[in-house]
Amino acid sequence: MAEKEELNWLEECGFGPKVMKSMKVCPHCGTVVDNEHRVCPDCGMRLLTKTLYDRYRERHLCCDKCGTVLADDSRYCPHCGNSLYLKVSGG
Ligand SMILES: [Zn+2]
Ligand SMILES: [Zn+2]
C-alpha cells in the first residue's frame, strides 16, 4: 500500500483532522453526523456548532500549526516541530 493511500484510508476511518473537522457528534444519542447537518437525523436533536475536532481539541493537546493531536505531556509537535507551552488547568 502506498503511503498516500494509507493516509487516505486513515482519513476515511476518521483519524485525520480534516475528517474530524467535517463531523459532529449528537449530544443526545452520540450519532456521528456530517458537519452540514443542523439537526440529528437519528433523534432530531439540535446539534452544536462544534465539530468532532473541536471537541477532541478540548480534551487533548493539539498543535496550533498543523492540527496534529499530541500526547498531553508533549513539549513540541513531532510533526512540524512547533514548540508548545503547556496550559496548566489548575483552577
Ligand atoms: Zn441524535
Ligand atoms: Zn505541528
Side-chain angles (χ1 to χ4, degrees), residues 18-73:
K18 213 162 77 181
V19 172
M20 290 175 78
K21 280 175 189 172
S22 68
M23 284 180 167
K24 293 184 204 173
V25 178
C26 174
H28 184 246
C29 68
T31 299
V32 178
V33 187
D34 196 280
N35 191 28
E36 292 171 12
H37 291 272
R38 296 197 175 173
V39 177
C40 178
D42 209 40
C43 71
M45 183 85 174
R46 200 177 147 209
L47 297 168
L48 303 169
T49 51
K50 284 182 180 176
T51 62
L52 192 63
Y53 184 71
D54 291 327
R55 286 170 63 107
Y56 200 79
R57 281 192 66 149
E58 287 175 359
R59 293 188 179 195
H60 301 273
L61 198 64
C62 291
C63 177
D64 290 333
K65 280 190 178 178
C66 69
T68 298
V69 179
L70 308 164
D72 288 339
D73 59 348

